[in-house]
Amino acid sequence: MANNPLNLDEVGEWSGIWWLPDDPNQPIPGVLRYSPDDGLVLSLIGAFEDRIMSTPSPGLTVFHEGSRNWDVIHGAAEQREISLLGCYPNGVKRTIGARVKSPDKQTVVAMTALVGAHVSGEDDAVFSAAEIAVEDLGLWAASSVFDGSLGAPDGKIDGTGSISVKPVETRSVLVDGTEFRLQHQHTLPFFDQRKGGTVGRMRDTAFVRVVPAAPFSLGSAREAASLVQDLISLATHQAAGLIWLRLEVAEKEPALLPDGRPAPRRRVNVLYSPTALGRGNAKAVDHHRVFFTCESLPFEEVVPRWYEARGRLQAATRMILGLRYAPARYVENNLLTAVGAAEVLHRGLRIDEKPFPRAEFKAMRDAMLEQVPEKHRERFKGAIRNDPTLRDRLYALAARPDQDAIALLMPDVDRWAERTTKARNDLTHEGKTPNHRIEELFAVVEVTMAVVILNLLHELGLPAERQSEIVREHPQLRATASTAREWLVSPDAVS
């Protein structure tokens, strides 16, 4: 259907004319193609001038190295306005001096396409709402327009049944002046007549609609999409790809049809390469692998908490979610990322406890500095800090979530904190971890990641009993707990 969003995992093609915003009277015909593998490629019959030239004196033109890029290219194709952002030439075939004169050909690569509007750039605040569809959002929403039943009189299935549709009430919450709505849209019944049978279909799609108080830009819309992606990634413990992103143009006055009725809202589809590409028709994640849904943490509660926590703990959340979006191939990289996430999370939580009272620490430091030659004093002073150690921070993080969950995750917190600190210090100071086997490093990474995740879930208000349930029943955390019992228990511990 023409009004359906453009899925980022599907190909598209638009034939039309294209021009530079500062030279609209020189349009060039061409075809824009999009694919998830190749991105956005504009093939022109003709060419924009991409050579960098100067005219130092009349009649003298100098061509310089490099080529020109374009922030924006506008187009009109398939009865839609199109804006291409972040464009650069990827090849040109000119016919200067050819035996037969024919049009030049040029290929242009674009980073982003807005299908449905002309904008002056990514920061152009011309949109009133964004609609975001992310993998497994429907499962996380814990709601559907569909309801099904099977006929089973006397306890025996008799072959009758029904699928009914009932619209789901929109859930909404206002966060810092921006409204977040959890909505559903569904198709009408469709019967697909095949030679071997008939298939009846309907589709229910859950999406988040974001409505700021004032018009916003494409950059802000992409940040909103990232916020939703990260929330679902945390909830499902895997990368949540973006399926589609659609915007609405802010109208100064409501548009009317010729008969006086309100015109449909003007929607704009965004095509680009997100952090993770969503596959709309892929099988949903198994519900046993989901940490929480809107059933255990209501939408109206979790979105404000995530908005606040993600802003305050952004560095830690990006590091730990980065291991979901793009895990490194080597355990050493993952070790530094996981332990780094734990450190910055501890700082972001603002739960630091100074090892010494400020006055006492100052007196000790001053006394030590008196014994240091003056030329080394400043350097020595910078090395003496009244900050908690990595081990202190790990202990503090392990003490925050539900303690039953922590006990299920690892039986020996002391051993985990000791071996994690040793591994990180060896790697950063010596460039290797000679005192750890690869299996133990893997255990350190997985347990540290789990501790960070439990802290984030704790920040979102996930009930204690659910935290324990996750460690007990989630396949990956259950495996992590098994690994911890094998590799992160002191040799002196009593069996």
Side-chain angles (χ1 to χ4, degrees):
M1 294 177 63
N3 291 326
N4 284 349
L6 297 178
N7 286 5
L8 292 171
D9 66 336
E10 298 177 357
V11 300
E13 181 175 298
W14 297 265
S15 300
I17 56 173
W18 312 87
W19 64 91
L20 300 178
D22 57 358
D23 193 11
N25 295 321
Q26 298 294 326
I28 299 175
V31 180
L32 173 68
R33 295 180 177 87
Y34 168 79
S35 73
D37 295 326
D38 299 326
L40 292 153
V41 179
L42 175 62
S43 300
L44 295 172
I45 304 175
F48 298 122
E49 182 55 72
D50 61 355
R51 294 170 293 183
I52 301 175
M53 301 177 292
S54 64
T55 307
S57 62
L60 177 63
T61 300
V62 178
F63 294 90
H64 303 277
E65 289 187 11
S67 59
R68 184 179 301 171
N69 298 334
W70 306 282
D71 293 333
V72 182
I73 294 176
H74 284 165
E78 313 290 340
Q79 302 178 356
R80 305 292 299 275
E81 304 99 327
I82 298 179
S83 296
L84 303 179
L85 308 179
C87 306
Y88 61 91
N90 194 38
V92 62
K93 184 177 182 181
R94 301 186 184 275
T95 59
I96 299 174
R99 184 176 62 84
V100 177
K101 185 173 177 58
S102 60
D104 295 339
K105 294 174 65 177
Q106 186 179 51
T107 301
V108 176
V109 174
M111 304 307 295
T112 305
L114 297 178
V115 181
H118 286 156
V119 300
S120 59
E122 185 162 326
D123 298 326
D124 198 2
V126 295
F127 303 109
S128 60
E131 295 177 340
I132 302 153
V134 172
E135 288 178 323
D136 296 311
L137 184 58
L139 178 64
W140 175 78
S143 59
S144 174
V145 302
F146 295 139
D147 190 21
S149 64
L150 293 175
D154 301 323
K156 296 181 179 180
I157 297 176
D158 63 2
T160 63
S162 67
I163 296 177
S164 60
V165 175
K166 182 179 180 181
V168 175
E169 184 178 351
T170 296
R171 306 178 71 169
S172 68
V173 62
L174 192 66
V175 183
D176 197 23
T178 297
E179 185 181 15
F180 291 82
R181 302 176 188 170
L182 179 58
Q183 299 183 205
H184 289 255
Q185 66 179 16
H186 64 276
T187 61
L188 296 174
F190 172 73
F191 295 98
D192 189 5
Q193 301 285 348
R194 299 297 179 97
K195 293 183 182 295
T198 301
V199 178
R201 304 196 176 97
M202 292 184 71
R203 180 185 289 270
D204 173 30
T205 301
F207 63 96
V208 174
R209 181 176 171 85
V210 181
V211 186
F216 63 103
S217 66
L218 171 63
S220 298
R222 289 209 276 212
E223 175 58 25
S226 178
L227 182 142
V228 175
Q229 273 188 277
D230 289 350
L231 175 58
I232 307 306
S233 294
L234 177 63
T236 60
H237 197 45
Q238 67 176 25
L242 184 68
I243 297 174
W244 51 259
L245 172 61
R246 187 167 63 178
L247 311 179
E248 285 184 10
V249 177
E251 304 285 358
K252 295 181 179 178
E253 296 182 3
L256 300 177
L257 296 174
D259 60 5
R261 290 181 297 133
R265 289 176 294 196
R266 187 174 160 203
R267 290 188 165 111
V268 179
N269 289 284
V270 184
L271 297 175
Y272 71 110
S273 297
T275 305
L277 178 69
R279 304 289 180 179
N281 289 322
K283 187 173 177 59
V285 64
D286 188 279
H287 70 278
H288 291 106
R289 294 181 173 272
V290 177
F291 288 157
F292 65 90
T293 67
C294 289
E295 190 172 26
S296 53
L297 272 180
F299 180 82
E300 298 82 0
E301 296 179 14
V302 72
V303 170
R305 292 173 187 171
W306 176 243
Y307 184 93
E308 188 278 332
R310 184 174 180 268
R312 178 165 48 91
L313 308 171
Q314 191 171 71
T317 57
R318 283 180 174 176
M319 293 172 75
I320 209 68
L321 290 173
L323 292 174
R324 300 270 72 82
Y325 287 125
R329 295 178 59 187
Y330 300 105
V331 69
E332 290 84 0
N333 300 70
N334 292 333
L335 170 67
L336 294 178
T337 302
V339 178
E343 283 196 285
V344 297
L345 174 65
H346 183 269
R347 294 178 189 275
L349 291 170
R350 303 186 185 97
I351 56 175
D352 281 9
E353 292 186 8
K354 299 294 183 183
F356 307 99
R358 292 182 183 275
E360 185 177 327
F361 172 75
K362 185 177 184 305
M364 289 190 297
R365 185 179 63 180
D366 290 345
M368 286 187 286
L369 289 174
E370 287 295 326
Q371 309 303 315
V372 178
E374 187 172 351
K375 63 179 181 179
H376 300 306
R377 194 166 294 170
E378 195 62 31
R379 183 183 181 92
F380 191 76
K381 182 179 180 180
I384 307 173
R385 303 174 64 88
N386 190 22
D387 289 336
T389 64
L390 171 58
R391 190 180 298 193
D392 293 333
R393 297 183 192 278
L394 295 176
Y395 276 124
L397 289 177
R400 297 187 75 253
D402 175 60
Q403 290 305 289
D404 288 340
I406 292 295
L408 288 169
L409 179 67
M410 52 177 161
D412 193 341
V413 174
D414 292 336
R415 182 69 173 178
W416 163 69
E418 173 199 341
R419 299 302 288 170
T420 300
T421 301
K422 177 67 174 170
R424 196 288 303 267
N425 290 345
D426 283 352
L427 185 57
T428 54
H429 300 314
E430 300 180 25
K432 55 185 178 180
T433 54
N435 300 301
H436 292 72
R437 290 180 58 177
I438 193 73
E439 295 86 353
E440 186 182 14
L441 289 178
F442 178 79
V444 163
V445 170
E446 292 300 311
V447 172
T448 305
M449 284 176 57
V451 170
V452 172
I453 289 168
L454 286 174
N455 271 271
L456 292 175
L457 297 178
H458 179 76
E459 283 294 294
L460 294 182
L462 194 69
E465 58 272 16
R466 178 56 187 157
Q467 295 178 37
S468 295
E469 192 176 88
I470 286 171
V471 180
R472 200 166 43 243
E473 298 181 0
H474 190 279
Q476 190 168 344
L477 265 66
R478 195 169 63 236
T480 298
S482 176
T483 303
R485 287 192 295 271
E486 182 177 359
W487 291 101
L488 296 178
V489 175
S490 174
D492 299 328
V494 179
S495 301

